[in-house]
Amino acid sequence: MERIRLTNTVFEGLNNVYVLDGPADGGDPDELVLVDAGVALPEVREQLAVGLADLGYGIADVDRVLLTHWHADHAGLAGAIQSESGATIHAHEADAPLVAGDEYSLLEERRLQREKFREWGMPEGPRAELVDFLEGHADLGGEPCDVEPFADGEEFAVNGRTLEAVHLPGHAAGLTAFHDPAADEAFVGDAILPKYTPNVGGADVRVEAPLASYVGSLLDLIDLDPGTAWPGHRDRIDDPAGRAATILRHHVERTGNVVDALADLGPSTPWEVSAALFGDLHGIHVLHGPGEAYAHLDHLAEAGVAERTGTRYTLVDADPDVSALFPDPGIDRVVEWEGE
């Protein structure tokens, strides 16, 4: 396995494309398989081509692409790769229509975004800024392609190894890790990251109960307990279960911050709570900030700690036991970011 690093000036930072180019015994590969593809920018496509050339391949040699999820920085170049190589593109069934460029699915995702902007109480000015940002970067999703959808638990035979699809929704509805039990490793996309905590609530507005969904995925990853995780951004994670537990505890702490904000502000919208938590937001963070606040407010409302009326949430339990709203991850390790 080799890693190609691709620049990404719009979203989270450097993207990783993993090249599964041969069996563990070092023999000749049956096929050239990529995990993720990078964002659809000419300079990023060139970086991918150079990275493959350094390994003795070209884009035309790619046989398959396994996508961890539909976001443009992971799936954007899939169509271009398929156009040049005829590669088969695989994506989870929840994300496959968006990767394929299905017009109805894309329009529905945008409709849901606009609906959420209103529900979050996003003011007209930031809303217009965000819409302009999203429309101005729509081409990052790349060209349409044919996609083979897969479901949780499906297996992929790749050059003598077997990868199992492990569905981990939250950050995206179809986010999937590809787990190789024999190698004790998993390609996890944005399920966990070594520096940031993946956004929930704004990154994919299709996800229902986004925080609860993501917490369930963190627990699944803890149970999976691979020795190494290869994330969609930055460097490998050597204790994935510990990192997942650390992120879960982060969300417990953030929920406590949301409770404090509601206590100070009184009945508030997700936008107002996000302003209290994160301050002024610009670019993609105009989406991610209130989305994150919404995910936590929704979790509090589901637990009966807060009550939603229209676009506003009101604290109904003045002194909740926030930790009781989350499951115990079962491990005490704290894995903070130490790499690039």
Side-chain angles (χ1 to χ4, degrees):
M1 186 274 290
E2 301 287 347
R3 177 179 65 168
I4 298 174
R5 309 195 79 176
L6 305 176
T7 58
N8 179 350
T9 60
V10 179
F11 300 111
E12 207 278 341
L14 291 173
N15 275 83
N16 294 321
V17 169
Y18 297 100
V19 183
L20 310 183
D21 61 343
D25 62 9
D28 293 333
D30 296 319
E31 57 182 348
L32 180 62
V33 179
L34 306 183
V35 177
D36 283 344
V39 70
L41 287 171
E43 58 268 32
V44 176
R45 185 189 179 285
E46 179 62 22
Q47 289 172 3
L48 178 62
V50 170
L52 287 171
D54 289 342
L55 300 173
Y57 304 106
I59 289 177
D61 297 318
V62 177
D63 295 293
R64 286 193 282 168
V65 181
L66 305 178
L67 295 175
T68 60
H69 58 300
W70 68 275
H71 289 157
D73 53 332
H74 296 262
L77 281 174
I81 292 170
Q82 187 177 74
S83 292
E84 186 164 342
S85 68
T88 301
I89 309 299
H90 300 273
H92 186 273
E93 57 193 357
D95 286 0
L98 291 173
V99 175
D102 177 73
E103 185 175 354
Y104 173 80
S105 298
L106 291 169
L107 289 173
E108 179 64 9
E109 196 265 338
R110 291 180 192 132
R111 185 195 67 78
L112 285 172
Q113 281 187 334
R114 305 309 191 265
E115 182 179 294
K116 289 298 183 184
F117 300 165
R118 291 189 293 271
E119 287 183 11
W120 298 344
M122 188 181 294
E124 183 176 341
R127 189 188 312 178
E129 176 187 343
L130 178 57
V131 169
D132 286 346
F133 177 90
L134 295 173
E135 291 179 349
H137 293 85
D139 58 343
L140 298 183
E143 59 190 86
C145 57
D146 295 325
V147 179
E148 282 200 11
F150 62 79
D152 180 46
E154 288 195 27
E155 294 183 343
F156 299 90
V158 179
N159 294 324
R161 67 158 81 194
T162 299
L163 299 177
E164 180 187 2
V166 181
H167 188 209
L168 299 171
H171 177 69
L175 198 149
T176 298
F178 299 102
H179 179 223
D180 182 346
D184 195 24
E185 65 183 7
F187 302 90
V188 298
D190 290 357
I192 56 172
L193 295 171
K195 181 175 181 180
Y196 299 105
T197 56
N199 181 261
V200 292
D204 190 341
V205 296
R206 302 174 303 150
V207 181
E208 296 185 7
L211 183 54
S213 177
Y214 183 52
V215 166
S217 292
L218 291 173
L219 293 175
D220 288 344
L221 193 50
I222 290 169
D223 288 342
L224 192 68
D225 195 21
T228 299
W230 299 101
H233 303 270
R234 301 180 185 269
D235 296 322
R236 74 181 188 186
I237 301 169
D238 290 325
D239 181 4
R243 180 60 180 158
T246 299
I247 292 173
L248 196 159
R249 286 190 287 269
H250 159 82
H251 282 289
V252 175
E253 180 180 351
R254 175 154 290 169
T255 300
N257 294 338
V258 170
V259 168
D260 291 342
L262 279 182
D264 291 340
L265 297 171
S268 303
T269 65
W271 177 262
E272 291 165 341
V273 171
S274 74
L277 295 177
F278 310 121
D280 290 337
L281 300 170
H282 299 283
I284 194 65
H285 300 293
V286 179
L287 173 64
H288 288 169
E292 186 87 19
Y294 157 74
H296 289 264
L297 290 164
D298 171 77
H299 198 67
L300 290 169
E302 185 64 27
V305 173
E307 182 178 74
R308 176 182 167 182
T309 304
T311 62
R312 295 187 176 276
Y313 292 79
T314 302
L315 195 62
V316 295
D317 182 347
D319 188 25
D321 181 358
V322 172
S323 62
L325 306 180
F326 293 84
D328 186 341
I331 55 178
D332 296 328
R333 300 191 300 274
V334 176
V335 181
E336 301 291 359
W337 169 68
E338 296 179 353
E340 179 184 27

